[in-house]
Each structure stands twice: as C-alpha cells, then as structure tokens.
Amino acid sequence: MRTVRTTAELPWLIQGGMGVGVSGWRLARAVARTGQLGVVSGTALDTLLIRVLQSGDPGGHLRRALAAFPVPGTAEAVLDRYFVEGGIGAGELYAATPLLTVDPASPARELTVVANFCEVWLAREGHGGPVGVNYLEKVQLATVPAMFGAILAGVDYVLVGAGVPGQIPGIARALARCEPVTARVDVEGDDRPHELGFDPASVLRGADPGPLCRPRVLAIVSLPALATYLNRDEETRPDGFVVEGHLAGGHSAPPRGPMRLDEQGDPRYGPRDTPDLARMAALGLPFWIAGGQCGPERLREARAAGAAGVQLGSVFALCEESGMAEGLRRQVVERELARELTVRNDPAASPTSFPFKVADLPDTLADPETRAGRARVCDLGYLRTPYRTERGDIDYRCPAEPLTAYVRKGGAAERTEGRQCLCNGLMSAVGFGQRRPRRGVEPPVVTIGQDLGFLREIAPDGGPYDVETVVRWLSAGLVPQAAPV
C-alpha cells in the first residue's frame, strides 16, 4: 500500500494545475520525474478523453491507461463508444460530451471517473515522483467523481481553489475508503446547498481496486483569512495551502473592497490584497507561494518567509512538455520578448465572475473581431450554475450561453456582457477545439500569468526549453545567498 509523503519529503516546487489540458499528464510526469510535484488539471478531462480517442489516440496512451482501469467492462464501453482508428476526418465533429447534472444516474459521472483515472495514471506511469490533480470549487458537479477517479489511480495530492474547499478533506478521506459521500452543491435560489450523493460502489460494480491512499489536500487561497477559517476545524482543515497572488494565470480572487479598475480596465489591487506570510506560517501547516514567484531569488525569499516553496504555472505553460498548442506558445514567447504582449486580468471574461487572465493574441477570443464572429454556444457546460426554477426543479444556466436562453432561464441580461465561453476557448487552446458547421474550429483563448520576465533569463533567444531546464534553473534558490564580503 502506498503511503502519504512525510513533511520532510515535501516538494519545494509545485507545478501549478492549468486547464484545460495545459498541465496534462506529459507535463506533470516530467515534473514529477525531477522529484517535484507535477499537477494535472482535472477540468474537462472527460471531453479531452473523448476527443483524443476520436483523434485516434496517437501513441496508444489512453488505451494503455484504460486497460489498467479496475472495471474492465467500463473501460471497454468507453473504447467502443469513442475510439476511432486513425481518427475522424477533418470535416467531422467531435462527439458531444454528456453534461453533468445533479442526477446521480447521470452517465457523465462514470465518464468523469474514468477520464481522471486515465490522466493521473499516465502522469504516474514509470516513476516514483509525486503527482497531484487540481480542481475548481466552482465546478462542483464534477469534483467528487473526478476525485474518486484520481484516487483510484493513486494521486498523491489534490489541490482545490476558486472557492471555499471546506468539504474536500472529508470527501477525500471517505473516497479513499470507498465509502459513499454527500457533497454540497450551491443552487441559485435556494437558501441551502443541494446535497448530492456519490457511491463508489456504483462505479466499481463489485471490482476490488485494492488498498487506496488518501491524498494530501492543499487549499488554494489568496489571503490568510480563508486559510484561518479552514484551519479552525478538523473536518475542513487541509494538509497545507497554496497562497496565490493576483499575478497568476487563469482565475484570480477579486480585490478586497469595492471593485476599482485601472486605465486598462483591470481590477486594482492594494495593500489589503497582499498576504501576511507570517500569519500563514503561524498556522503551522506547510504552504507554498504562487503568482509572480518565478526565479531562484523568489524561491529563496519564499523559503525565508517560512514557505515550503513556490507554485509556478506560466513557466511550465510555455515549455516543451506543455499541452498548449505549439503555435500559441510560440506567439506568447515571441511577443513577450519583443515587449509587445499584453495580458489582461479581465473582470468580465469568465462566467464565474472571477477576474481571468487573457493574453492579447490575434485570432483568439481576446481579439474583438474574432469574439464578435463567434456564435454563442454552451455545449460543454463546465461553468454552468445550477438554479431553482419556478416549478421547483433544478436547471442550469451560464452567462456565456446564448443571451435569449440565459434570460429565458431567469438570468439578468447585464450579467452576460463581456462573458466568454472559456470551456470551448480553452479546449481549442490545446488543439481540440470543436469544429462548427460553416464556422470552422472554435477560436482559442489563452490564459497566462502577468509576470513573464523569467523568459529573458531562461529563454532569451526565444528558443524552446524543457522541464528539466526550469527545475535546474530554479534549484539555485535552494542555496543560501552568500553574504557580501
């Protein structure tokens, strides 16, 4: 039986989880091979599974992972349904992904288990380094089945952000024992969360997965206040924290106090948004600092402040093992080195209402003309919000879906202004965008951090670099700086 790593073995580097598919199994495995924590993104893995299988599964990697799934009949059913030898034709559409709902019998739940198993299994294959998976608290319908799939594959760490992950430690304990769990799902219009049950036995169908290990849980927070709240009770207390600043890519917490925008239209952050690291250290749990922390000196400063190390995303998003489409990676690097890249912390782009980093690249959703030419479609639905209808049922809506549909479901029209379909855009950014009849492939959206100065040190000529180069460069920060003579 595998055991959880001891405090002495804590990694000094966490490769941040980046969805959709940017921190895929190849990247996480490469980082884990160095002894540091490689993290796969757990967002939209069911869609990625379907589209890779329909693309012919080059290299046979998913088929190899499916062969290891503890319920062979389930894996075979997935292969029969989605695998296409040689891949679908250039003009064919990818199969639709079944949408997750509050219905315990939803077929999407089992597919989510299988997809997360495959991703983590591949990330762990062939080495003994630590592997984690990253989830968003906002994507509540997927979290429990996704986590069970990751635990079946032997995941070492579960990292959860974009909300208050107070229920995650208890769920992780129960799932590792294959016990039924009940998760709380927020429903607009209800005073209390909806309780959604999940029984691992419904997936295992009598199969014995062997002994499972409860993964460490790391809560991603922006300030010590949330960390203190989670630390108050054994049921909500994680094993550690990632303290993420607003320079990090993807979603970020809004500034404290009234929302004020700068001349670019980005939220203004102030002293109240700077975490008190001494207060974090006083909690007595390990923590890592994220957001603009890339470089040996930043690592040295973090450890001097009591942190176990740093979490980095952007430097890995632009390396060779990244899942981001090569052409998009190259554009980001070239524009940044030419000092022509703008990365906005757009307060309106995400359907979640959290600020979201968007790189200003042509022919992506950052381009107003490209954005205006895209038909509003919501067919992946990961960021949909459950709400209570007038009839008392639970339905789902997203401010990035067609305006008439959103308003018909009771949504306020003003909430749709500026919203972008991140589900489809991020899927396209890793090369698996849906093909639309008469409209071509969905345009991508590229998210990256706002501090990319590391490129001038690690890749000053714009050439490619790999994970080992990054880890070797950063490790200089583990050596105390010599005092001046």
Side-chain angles (χ1 to χ4, degrees):
M1 177 176 176
R2 297 185 316 107
T3 57
V4 177
R5 296 164 70 86
T6 66
T7 302
E9 296 174 302
L10 290 174
W12 53 265
L13 172 63
I14 299 176
Q15 163 256 306
M18 298 170 286
V20 170
V22 173
S23 59
W25 63 266
R26 291 176 177 84
L27 175 57
R29 186 170 69 176
V31 174
R33 282 181 180 275
T34 72
Q36 302 311 305
L37 179 54
V39 179
V40 298
S41 167
T43 303
L45 286 177
D46 49 352
T47 298
L48 281 173
L49 173 86
I50 290 171
R51 295 186 180 181
V52 172
L53 288 176
Q54 284 201 285
S55 299
D57 186 26
H61 303 295
L62 276 181
R63 283 169 286 172
R64 192 168 66 254
L66 284 166
F69 191 70
V71 189
T74 299
E76 290 166 8
V78 171
L79 277 173
D80 290 343
R81 172 69 180 86
Y82 297 110
F83 177 64
V84 177
E85 187 73 49
I88 61 175
E92 294 183 70
L93 307 185
Y94 289 116
T97 304
L99 299 180
L100 281 160
T101 69
V102 295
D103 181 0
S106 167
R109 303 183 93 190
E110 189 167 79
L111 186 63
T112 298
V113 173
V114 172
N116 278 260
F117 173 89
C118 289
E119 192 77 3
V120 172
W121 190 91
L122 287 169
R124 295 190 66 247
E125 186 182 26
H127 65 87
V131 168
V133 62
N134 179 269
Y135 298 120
L136 301 177
E137 171 65 16
K138 284 282 187 181
V139 189
Q140 293 177 322
L141 294 174
T143 302
V144 174
M147 199 189 313
F148 184 58
I151 289 173
L152 281 176
V155 75
D156 297 287
Y157 286 78
V158 170
L159 300 85
V160 185
V164 182
Q167 58 182 331
I168 302 301
I171 290 174
R173 282 192 292 272
L175 290 178
R177 296 193 291 259
C178 290
E179 296 173 353
V181 301
T182 299
R184 297 183 300 275
V185 176
D186 296 323
V187 176
E188 288 186 0
D190 284 0
D191 295 332
R192 296 181 180 180
H194 177 80
E195 293 191 344
L196 181 60
F198 176 82
D199 187 351
S202 67
V203 174
L204 293 174
R205 298 175 185 171
D208 180 9
L212 302 177
C213 181
R214 180 249 191 215
R216 287 179 179 262
V217 174
L218 302 183
I220 302 174
V221 302
S222 59
L223 292 169
L226 177 54
T228 301
Y229 170 79
L230 294 171
N231 192 47
R232 80 197 191 288
D233 186 272
E234 184 178 350
E235 285 302 308
T236 61
R237 183 179 301 126
D239 298 284
F241 299 96
V242 175
V243 186
E244 188 172 83
H246 61 87
L247 295 176
H251 289 94
S252 57
R256 299 183 73 183
M259 177 72 79
R260 296 186 175 90
L261 305 181
D262 61 19
E263 60 280 357
Q264 186 174 260
D266 291 5
R268 289 185 183 276
Y269 291 85
R272 295 177 65 195
D273 302 300
T274 301
D276 183 342
L277 298 183
R279 187 176 169 191
M280 287 298 308
L283 293 177
L285 292 174
F287 68 97
W288 291 258
I289 307 175
Q293 299 299 314
C294 191
E297 184 58 31
R298 300 282 179 86
L299 172 62
R300 189 177 292 116
E301 292 169 357
R303 288 168 66 86
V310 295
Q311 174 180 286
L312 305 177
S314 298
V315 69
F316 292 113
L318 300 175
C319 75
E320 287 186 280
E321 295 92 341
S322 165
M324 187 187 298
E326 183 180 357
L328 294 174
R329 292 204 317 265
R330 187 167 58 247
Q331 283 189 64
V332 171
V333 172
E334 290 175 354
R335 284 173 173 263
E336 171 62 23
L337 292 177
R339 302 186 187 278
E340 296 174 350
L341 181 69
T342 299
V343 178
R344 287 204 56 207
N345 191 22
D346 193 329
S350 175
T352 67
S353 298
F354 278 47
F356 184 76
K357 307 298 186 310
V358 178
D360 186 10
L361 300 179
D363 301 319
T364 70
L365 289 177
D367 174 32
E369 185 175 340
T370 299
R371 194 162 60 245
R374 178 189 180 269
R376 292 175 74 99
V377 177
C378 181
D379 55 356
L380 294 179
Y382 295 105
L383 299 180
R384 295 176 306 154
T385 300
Y387 74 97
R388 185 71 63 177
T389 70
E390 293 181 356
R391 300 188 307 274
D393 302 324
I394 294 179
D395 202 351
Y396 310 87
R397 62 190 176 206
C398 175
E401 71 182 331
L403 175 61
T404 54
Y406 186 70
V407 172
R408 185 178 67 250
K409 297 174 183 177
E414 57 268 23
R415 291 196 61 192
T416 69
E417 295 178 8
R419 303 298 187 209
Q420 300 175 23
C421 182
L422 300 186
C423 299
N424 276 295
L426 291 171
M427 191 66 64
S428 188
V430 294
F432 291 99
Q434 183 61 283
R435 298 94 175 257
R436 304 292 185 195
R438 299 180 299 279
R439 289 184 177 271
V441 180
E442 279 276 359
V445 62
V446 175
T447 184
I448 199 79
Q450 289 183 302
D451 182 2
L452 303 180
F454 59 83
L455 285 172
R456 293 174 180 81
E457 295 190 48
I458 202 167
D461 59 354
Y465 61 91
D466 60 13
V467 160
E468 288 193 6
T469 300
V470 175
V471 176
R472 187 166 55 248
W473 172 61
L474 291 169
S475 65
L478 299 174
V479 181
Q481 204 166 22
V485 179

